[in-house]
Amino acid sequence: MKKVYLDQNIYSNFARAEIGTKSRGQLYSFLLSLKESNEIICPFSLAHISETVGTPEKHTQDIILDSILKLSGNIEISQASGALVKSNLQEKFTALNSNPNEHKALQNPFLAPTDIIKKINSYGLNPGNLNNLEPETALERIDKILRTIPKEELFNDLTNYKAEAFKYFDVLENFINSENEKSIKSFKQNLQKSMLDNLPELEKILGEPLVESDIEFLKQISEEIVPHYENDLEKILKSQTEIFQKVKKDNIDKINQISPQNYDINSYTDIIEKSKKALMNVSIHEHFLYAIELTLLSTLGYFRDKKETEKQKLEPNFIEAWDPNHFLFATNCDFFISEDISFLKRGNLVIKRNKLSLRMLSSEQFINAFSHYA
């Protein structure tokens, strides 16, 4: 059985087609028939759920969820291991949808060091400049331009970048502390409310109504029990805070070691190898570097992500995270279907450079080609 990963734009297209024509289209019917004959499975991921939560129209959400459910059979790609696991799409969606992040996403300066990007662009790696080249030629052009950039200039920008990174850690730490305080307060209120809301159930079990003295006694018990649970929660959150502070210290120590000597970059491969070295001691998914490559190619101007370019006009540090996330999950599959041309171009370059077995195709290409790989 082949594993086929679908980009979010494919599910959005299914919803758009059904709303307009009452049919989800040729690709959906083709995939469903293959799934029903046990030739393929289209597993979902946390990235699918997260993007669907962000879809504003509920009717569109419902169609997307139904499409994912029918094609996945509730099979999910584990975020931790990349393995296929039995899951519950609706439960996971409900849990995420009922607890949306009320804060604006914190933009990570590590992902979008704007001064460095501007410097690279000024030397010829502008969005679109590489799009008419074959992949190998595009990488050769990148290497040639990287060798011409004075390393002192980049290091000066990198020094400013370090200061921004330190600010980011402070902002993130304040955010975590604030969320922890809210969690404790909310937990306490909800636990007390839950205990008192269950009084009707207790009356059913007893077979008689509770008198006022019983209710007061139960309230007293709830007030005595809550602090014990609250203390346990505080210990957990304190432990998480301590872990973050250690990670913060380790990263700041690494940032302080940045120098022109150990960040001498002359080629695209240099960037990848130094990224591997930087992440060597970090517990991450083994395919995480492929996702980094997608972002790097966009930053260097190779089929630059248009959504990212537009967003950065308003938010300079914005980085398009959905494409790398979906690609990360898709590396555990045989096929990846997308209708995003720039994503297809960058994805296939990463696949070819790393000799991955994944096939990344458009809808039409998949329908035409699937019989050769089934």
Side-chain angles (χ1 to χ4, degrees):
M1 181 184 288
K2 299 293 182 182
K3 293 171 284 186
V4 181
Y5 190 91
L6 305 184
D7 199 0
Q8 189 74 14
N9 57 53
I10 299 296
Y11 287 114
S12 296
N13 287 347
F14 292 160
R16 198 174 297 114
E18 178 163 315
I19 291 169
T21 65
K22 307 302 180 186
S23 166
R24 296 181 191 179
Q26 181 187 9
L27 177 64
Y28 178 79
S29 300
F30 184 66
L31 291 170
L32 192 60
S33 66
L34 291 173
K35 193 260 180 184
E36 290 174 347
S37 59
N38 293 320
E39 292 184 67
I40 68 164
I41 188 71
C42 299
F44 70 91
S45 71
L46 181 60
H48 287 129
I49 300 173
S50 299
E51 280 215 74
T52 306
V53 165
T55 302
E57 297 85 10
K58 185 173 186 310
H59 183 44
T60 302
Q61 274 186 346
D62 291 342
I63 299 173
I64 290 175
L65 288 172
D66 185 67
S67 300
I68 294 174
L69 182 61
K70 285 186 168 63
L71 293 174
S72 72
N74 262 330
I75 298 298
E76 180 182 8
I77 300 174
S78 166
Q79 187 175 17
S81 67
L84 298 191
V85 295
K86 190 68 178 175
S87 185
N88 189 310
L89 172 68
Q90 190 60 54
E91 277 186 9
K92 293 208 164 186
F93 173 81
T94 301
L96 197 61
N97 196 39
S98 64
N99 197 14
N101 187 357
E102 297 175 357
H103 298 262
K104 178 184 173 184
L106 292 167
Q107 298 303 331
N108 189 338
F110 295 121
L111 295 175
T114 51
D115 289 340
I116 297 176
I117 292 173
K118 287 176 183 176
K119 183 73 68 181
I120 290 171
N121 289 347
S122 71
Y123 277 86
L125 291 174
N126 290 310
N129 280 10
L130 306 171
N131 291 4
N132 62 335
L133 304 177
E134 291 297 316
E136 293 82 358
T137 309
L139 291 178
E140 289 171 5
R141 179 74 60 84
I142 289 171
D143 290 352
K144 183 178 179 181
I145 292 173
L146 287 175
R147 285 193 293 270
T148 66
I149 301 175
K151 299 304 179 290
E152 297 77 14
E153 291 187 17
L154 274 182
F155 183 66
N156 289 337
D157 291 329
L158 206 55
T159 302
N160 296 332
Y161 175 43
K162 287 163 66 174
E164 289 298 316
F166 295 150
K167 285 183 191 175
Y168 170 74
F169 278 120
D170 289 339
V171 170
L172 186 56
E173 186 167 13
N174 290 335
F175 172 78
I176 290 171
N177 290 337
S178 172
E179 288 301 298
N180 285 351
E181 288 176 9
K182 290 179 184 176
S183 296
I184 292 170
K185 183 178 179 181
S186 174
F187 173 80
K188 184 177 179 180
Q189 291 173 341
N190 290 336
L191 183 58
Q192 286 177 324
K193 184 176 183 299
S194 174
M195 292 179 73
L196 296 175
D197 284 348
N198 284 327
L199 292 181
E201 290 298 318
L202 182 57
E203 288 179 329
K204 287 181 182 178
I205 294 170
L206 295 173
E208 58 183 29
L210 293 168
V211 297
E212 188 65 30
S213 59
D214 292 334
I215 295 174
E216 287 302 317
F217 177 67
L218 290 169
K219 284 182 179 180
Q220 184 181 345
I221 291 176
S222 73
E223 288 172 0
E224 291 175 358
I225 289 176
V226 166
H228 293 288
Y229 286 104
E230 189 178 352
N231 288 337
D232 289 341
L233 178 60
E234 285 177 345
K235 287 178 184 177
I236 293 170
L237 294 177
K238 183 181 178 182
S239 173
Q240 291 176 344
T241 302
E242 288 171 351
I243 291 170
F244 169 78
Q245 288 170 343
K246 183 180 183 305
V247 171
K248 174 184 173 181
K249 181 182 181 303
D250 290 346
N251 277 278
I252 287 176
D253 289 344
K254 287 179 183 177
I255 292 169
N256 281 325
Q257 293 170 13
I258 293 175
S259 69
Q261 290 73 35
N262 58 20
Y263 276 80
D264 187 22
I265 294 172
N266 294 293
S267 69
Y268 179 84
T269 302
D270 279 351
I271 300 175
I272 300 302
E273 290 305 314
K274 290 183 186 299
S275 297
K276 285 181 182 177
K277 186 177 179 181
L279 294 168
M280 191 167 55
N281 297 321
V282 182
S283 177
I284 58 170
H285 193 288
E286 62 178 332
H287 294 161
F288 187 70
L289 274 166
Y290 305 146
I292 290 178
E293 276 204 62
L294 272 177
T295 301
L296 176 61
L297 286 168
S298 180
T299 300
L300 295 174
Y302 185 69
F303 286 93
R304 185 75 180 272
D305 190 291
K306 291 182 179 179
K307 301 187 294 294
E308 184 176 89
T309 304
E310 288 302 309
K311 281 266 193 176
Q312 285 180 351
K313 290 177 182 177
L314 300 174
E315 301 175 62
N317 284 341
F318 175 84
I319 197 76
E320 171 52 49
W322 291 124
D323 288 353
N325 264 289
H326 284 297
F327 193 83
L328 179 62
F329 285 108
T331 53
N332 299 286
C333 297
D334 302 295
F335 294 92
F336 184 7
I337 307 176
S338 177
E339 289 300 334
D340 183 333
I341 300 301
S342 68
F343 191 12
L344 284 165
K345 291 288 187 180
R346 284 180 287 121
N348 276 307
L349 195 158
V350 173
I351 288 168
K352 185 173 183 179
R353 215 187 75 83
N354 293 282
K355 298 181 175 60
L356 305 182
S357 59
L358 177 66
R359 301 277 311 201
M360 192 168 180
L361 306 168
S362 67
S363 302
E364 183 179 357
Q365 288 171 329
F366 177 81
I367 291 172
N368 292 336
F370 181 78
S371 59
H372 298 293
Y373 307 104

